[in-house]
Amino acid sequence: MSEQIYVGVDLGGTAIKVGLVNAEGNLLQVFEGPTEVPKGPEAVIDNIEKYVRQIVEESPYDWSQVAGVGAGVAGFTNVKEGVILLAPNVGFKDVPIRSILEERLGKPIKIDNDANVAALGEVWSGAGKGIDFCVCYTLGTGVGGGIIIDGKIVQGFNGLAGELGHMSVIPDLEAIQCGCGKMGCLETVSSATGIIRMADDAVKRGDRTSLSLLEEAITAKDVFDAAKAGDEVAIRIVSRAAYYIGKSMAAVAVTLNPQRFIIGGGVSKAGEFLFEQIRESFMKFSPEPVTRGVTIEAAQLGNDAGMIGAAGLFIRS
Amino acid sequence: MSEQIYVGVDLGGTAIKVGLVNAEGNLLQVFEGPTEVPKGPEAVIDNIEKYVRQIVEESPYDWSQVAGVGAGVAGFTNVKEGVILLAPNVGFKDVPIRSILEERLGKPIKIDNDANVAALGEVWSGAGKGIDFCVCYTLGTGVGGGIIIDGKIVQGFNGLAGELGHMSVIPDLEAIQCGCGKMGCLETVSSATGIIRMADDAVKRGDRTSLSLLEEAITAKDVFDAAKAGDEVAIRIVSRAAYYIGKSMAAVAVTLNPQRFIIGGGVSKAGEFLFEQIRESFMKFSPEPVTRGVTIEAAQLGNDAGMIGAAGLFIRS
C-alpha cells in the first residue's frame, strides 16, 4: 500500500467531481458534490477541500499516499502561478487556488483549464493512449481545444494555446461575430450554440424543415436527429459544422502535423455521422503527406477526462 | 583554444555555404563553393566534405574543436534517421547523408529542412533571440515555416510541422489549385510566385497598371515597387498577399499562442509597407487576449540563417 495516488478535481459550476487516479491513469474511485457557487468562493474552496479529503478517507488508500492534487476549471488560468484568473461559472476571479489548497491540504497542487486537462486525460488514458502528439477538440457550448506535444500540454505565451474555437475559418461574406468580438470563428458554426443558431435562423426564415415542428427550443441533438432522418435543412447545418471543423484541423495539421485528432464534448455524440464529414473536409484541405497515418477519433473518457487529466498534470508536465 | 565550434552547412542547388559558428550562435567565418548538382550526388557529397574541411583549415580553430556539423536543405528530410528523402534542387533522393558524412568527417552530423533551420537560426541569434516560442514564415518562391517551442524545432508526426504555405486560407470561391494539389493554400497568393501570378493575371486581363509597361517578366519586387508608388492594382495584390499571411498567423496564434512571428525570405524585403498590412490582418482575425505582447518582426539574419540554424541543431535539440 505504498503506491502513490493522485486526486483529480473537475471544478464545474454545478458540481465538483473528485477522482482518485493511479500512476497509470486509471480512475479508481469517484466522488461528486455540489459546488455551491452562490455561497461565494470561500465556500467553494471549502467544498473542494472537503471532497478531496472525503474521497481519500473512503478509499483503501492512506492520505500519505496522495502525491498531488490537480484541478481543471472552465476559465482562464495562470498555470505557472497557480491562479484562476477568471472562471465565471464558478464565480472565481484572481483566486490563487494553488497556494490556498497547498496550505489547506499540505499536498502539491497543479491547475489548468478544462479543455487542456480533458485533452491530457484522453492522451494519457483514453483515445490518445500511446500517442504523444495529439490535438483535441471539445465541441460543447463553445469549441475548446488542447494541444499535446510529446505527451505534454502546450500552454503558449499567454496560456492561450489550443483556443481552437476562435480560429477564423468562415469566409468574410458569411461570417458572423463571435462572443470573442472577432468575425468568423469556428465556434460560431461548430459549437452546440452555433448549430442551434443556424437551426433557429432556418426556422425563422421559413425553410421547410421538421425542426419547425418542435414545440420546445431546438437543441443540437434535435438537429442531428433530424439530419440523420433525412431533413435537408438539418443535413446542411451539420455539414457546415463538420466542414469548418475539418478545415480548421487542416490548418492545425500543416502547423503541427499531429498524429491524432480527438473530438469530445456533447456535440461529438452525434458519432460517425458527424465524424465522416469532418474527415472528408480534413482530407479536402490537407496536403496528402500531412495526412499520412493521421486519424480523427472520438474521445473515450467522456466526463471522466477532466478528473483523469487533472491528476495527469503531475505525471505529464 | 579549447573552445568547441560547430559547422553549419546550407546545402543549396547552386552553392554550398559553410559557416563556422560558436556555441553562442555567432557566425565566425564563411566559405561558399559550387554545389555541382549535374555531377551527381556523390560529387555533391564530396564537395560538402571538402568545403567543411577547408573552412576549418583556414580558420584559427583546430579540427578537434569541431563538435558537430549540421546541414539544412530544401526538401523532405527524415531528421531522426538523418536521411534526405527528396531534395530536387540538389538532386538527392533517399540519401543517408548523416551516416555518409559521419564516416567521412568523423564528427556528429545533424540535418533538417531549410525552413526549420532558418527558423532555429533566427530564434538562436536573430530576430527571435531570447524568445523561445516563435513561429517563422519564409516568403520566397514558396511559403515555408518553422515552429519553435521552448527553443526547439517542432517536427510533427511525419516531420511536416511548419508547412504554413499549405494552410488553406483562401475562400473556396476565390481559391486556385496549389502545387501540392489542394485548393486555396496560402502559398498561392503570398509567395513570390503567387504575387507574380496575380500581377500577370491583372496585366492579361487588361487592368490599368504600370506593371503592364514592364518589358521583362514581372518580379515580386516590381509589384512591391509599383504598390509603393501608388499603383492601385499592385496595391490590391500586395494587400491580398498580406491579408492572408495575417489570417494564417491568426490561425497559428489560437493554436499555439506564440510570442513572436518572424518573417523572412525574399518577399519580406518589401519591409514595413508589407508588415503593417500583415499586422492589421493578424489583429483583425485574432481574439485580443491571444495578441497581447505578441509581435510580428522581420528576420535579421538573411541568408546566414541557414548556416547558423544548421549549427544550432546541436545546441537546440
Side-chain angles (χ1 to χ4, degrees), chain B residues 122-143:
Chain B
E122 288 292 341
V123 170
W124 191 21
S125 89
K129 201 169 180 172
I131 310 282
D132 273 0
F133 202 158
C134 285
V135 172
C136 302
Y137 283 68
T138 306
L139 309 178
T141 311
V143 172

Side-chain angles (χ1 to χ4, degrees), chain A residues 133 147 156-163 168 172 182 243 247 254-257 259 283-286 289 292, chain B residues 133 147 156-163 167-168 172 182 243 247 254-257 259 283-286 289 292:
Chain A
F133 202 158
I147 313 287
F157 175 51
N158 296 316
L160 294 169
E163 285 289 344
S168 183
D172 296 356
K182 297 297 169 175
Y243 186 82
K247 187 167 187 181
V254 294
T255 306
L256 289 175
N257 187 206
Q259 183 173 2
M283 297 303 283
K284 175 181 159 82
F285 290 112
S286 302
R292 269 180 224 161
Chain B
F133 202 158
I147 313 288
F157 174 51
N158 296 316
L160 294 169
E163 286 289 342
M167 190 183 294
S168 185
D172 296 356
K182 296 297 170 178
Y243 186 82
K247 187 166 187 182
V254 293
T255 306
L256 289 175
N257 187 206
Q259 183 174 0
M283 297 303 282
K284 173 180 159 82
F285 290 113
S286 302
R292 268 180 223 160

